[in-house]
Amino acid sequence: MDEKILTLLTEMNERLKSLETDVSALKTDVSVLKTDVSVLKTDVSNIKEEVSEIKEDTEITRTAVNTLIEWADAVSEVEAVVKFPVKKSS
């Protein structure tokens, strides 16, 4: 009977060691995932900054284009008198 209990305890101990190894591997995997998520967060933050800059540059460009269109409209009104050709894009 004692031998049977000892055998069962040995088997349980082996299973426990296996579980401990698996848990250790999982902890390593989670650590790697945390590092990867941190890198992704940094990348997303950089992308957000770049998109913000692009939006700002787009607004500047839009304002400049609108100013040029207004100028072209004003010049085209004078064109009848001065004959200054302004080509309009279609």
Side-chain angles (χ1 to χ4, degrees):
M1 183 71 139
D2 287 339
E3 190 173 305
K4 191 173 185 179
I5 291 174
L6 185 59
T7 303
L8 287 174
L9 285 174
T10 303
E11 288 175 8
M12 289 175 64
N13 193 30
E14 290 300 317
R15 288 181 183 171
L16 183 60
K17 285 181 184 178
S18 175
L19 287 173
E20 288 174 342
T21 301
D22 292 345
V23 167
S24 178
L26 285 173
K27 284 181 179 179
T28 301
D29 291 346
V30 167
S31 177
V32 169
L33 287 172
K34 284 181 178 180
T35 301
D36 290 348
V37 167
S38 177
V39 169
L40 288 173
K41 284 181 177 181
T42 301
D43 289 349
V44 167
S45 177
N46 290 339
I47 290 170
K48 284 181 177 181
E49 287 178 24
E50 290 174 4
V51 167
S52 177
E53 290 174 12
I54 290 170
K55 285 181 177 180
E56 185 177 323
D57 290 346
T58 301
E59 184 60 35
I60 291 169
T61 303
R62 183 178 295 117
T63 301
V65 167
N66 288 338
T67 301
L68 287 172
I69 289 171
E70 289 172 10
W71 174 82
D73 285 342
V75 169
S76 67
E77 290 174 9
V78 177
E79 181 181 358
V81 176
V82 180
K83 296 293 183 196
F84 183 76
V86 177
K87 294 182 181 181
K88 294 183 179 180
S89 61
S90 49

